[in-house]
Amino acid sequence: EQHRIVAILDEAFAGIAAGRAAAEQNRQNARSLFESHLQAILRDKKWVWKTIGDLCEKVEYGSSAKSKPEGKMPVLRMGNIQNGRLDWDSLVYTDDEDEIQKYLLKHNDVLFNRTNSPELVGKTAIYKSEQPAIFAGYLIRIHRNEELLDGDYLNYFLNSQIALDHGKTVVISSVNQANINGAKLKGYPIPVPSIDEQKAIVAELDALQEETQRLEALYQRKLEALDELKQSLLHQAFCGQL
């Protein structure tokens, strides 16, 4: 009876493993498709390349004042930047009116993470007025010339593999920490379509990203369902139901 149960589980688990591998590969393929399309757009030979410094008025480091667990105004930190957007969990706060006035975020401000672990330094997010907030010192706010550079386009670019690869050439590393300062950020080369073309590119990328996220969520649910099936089979096996 033990041998019979083991044979059933072995066959079922092999099928589950194959299904998990396929779902995981499909999830990775969805991500790769988006990055491949993004790079194809950015590398189009018709674009003129400039530096971020050519297209922005200044770059600004965030608040260095001490934050606290509760208070009037959220202070966004490097951990709040996730996948090009802002994650509003694990917030800290400030009541300092001078800091709030100086570092209050404006709609479509782009925040660049200047100090983090080597694999995470340079991650970037765009502020969409989700709620009032300021930003902490390990982040840089890029003051764009809005007639030359669209915020969403800049955000897509700085999260692209092209920008991440450039960051690896200018990063300053120490033990478990890496830094890309404001001067190095201003030196990033970036392809510059017209502002109208940038907005059209953003609309195209937004639609593709939405579809990519839908596919990723679908394959994630499949992975979870396969894990639940495995646990269910084990439960049935040890309850004498196989």
Side-chain angles (χ1 to χ4, degrees):
E1 184 68 6
Q2 292 176 31
H3 289 162
R4 184 187 69 82
I5 291 171
V6 167
I8 292 173
L9 291 176
D10 281 349
E11 182 177 0
F13 287 0
I16 289 172
R20 282 193 105 268
E24 183 61 44
Q25 184 61 56
N26 286 333
R27 186 171 66 167
Q28 293 296 329
N29 288 345
R31 293 178 183 173
S32 298
L33 174 64
F34 179 83
E35 178 61 32
S36 175
H37 188 68
L38 174 59
Q39 288 209 41
I41 290 173
L42 295 174
R43 293 187 187 279
D44 193 314
K45 293 182 179 179
K46 65 186 177 185
W47 309 137
V48 173
W49 285 70
K50 298 184 178 180
T51 67
I52 288 177
D54 294 329
L55 306 169
C56 69
E57 298 162 4
K58 66 175 182 176
V59 294
E60 177 189 17
Y61 292 12
S63 171
S64 58
K66 187 173 178 59
S67 303
K68 53 187 181 179
E70 297 180 352
K72 176 180 178 180
M73 182 68 65
V75 182
L76 296 170
R77 301 173 293 170
M78 56 188 180
N80 297 111
I81 294 181
Q82 300 291 339
N83 300 316
R85 298 291 178 185
L86 292 169
D87 184 330
W88 294 88
D89 294 330
S90 302
L91 293 172
V92 294
Y93 298 85
T94 184
D95 292 322
D96 189 318
E97 289 296 338
D98 290 337
E99 296 290 294
I100 292 171
Q101 183 175 356
K102 183 175 181 180
Y103 298 110
L104 187 65
L105 288 166
K106 302 186 299 294
H107 189 72
N108 281 345
D109 272 346
V110 175
L111 296 173
F112 177 88
N113 182 200
R114 68 182 178 94
T115 302
N116 207 320
S117 60
E119 64 273 12
L120 293 176
V121 68
K123 62 181 181 173
T124 304
I126 187 166
Y127 173 69
K128 290 295 184 180
S129 300
E130 296 92 337
Q131 65 184 78
I134 69 170
F135 61 106
Y138 281 160
L139 304 181
I140 295 176
R141 170 162 55 182
I142 301 170
H143 290 262
R144 297 172 288 112
N145 181 332
E146 296 185 8
E147 295 180 356
L148 299 177
L149 187 57
D150 179 81
D152 289 291
Y153 176 80
L154 175 60
N155 187 47
Y156 274 125
F157 170 74
L158 285 173
N159 283 299
S160 73
Q161 197 60 49
I162 295 172
L164 295 176
D165 287 344
H166 178 77
K168 293 173 184 176
T169 69
V170 299
V171 68
I172 300 170
S173 298
S174 58
V175 178
N176 296 326
Q177 194 172 69
N179 179 270
I180 300 173
N181 62 32
K184 297 291 176 90
L185 173 58
K186 289 170 70 175
Y188 271 53
I190 178 173
V192 190
S194 71
I195 194 71
D196 288 338
E197 287 171 321
Q198 291 177 40
K199 292 180 184 298
I201 288 168
V202 166
E204 180 182 348
L205 291 173
D206 283 348
L208 180 58
Q209 186 174 65
E210 183 178 347
E211 178 62 15
T212 300
Q213 290 172 344
R214 186 190 70 79
L215 289 172
E216 285 190 54
L218 172 65
Y219 294 126
Q220 180 61 38
R221 289 194 296 272
K222 287 186 176 182
L223 289 169
E224 292 167 358
L226 288 168
D227 288 340
E228 290 173 4
L229 175 59
K230 186 173 182 177
Q231 292 302 315
S232 175
L233 287 170
L234 286 170
H235 176 76
Q236 291 177 52
F238 293 112
C239 289
Q241 296 171 355
L242 282 184

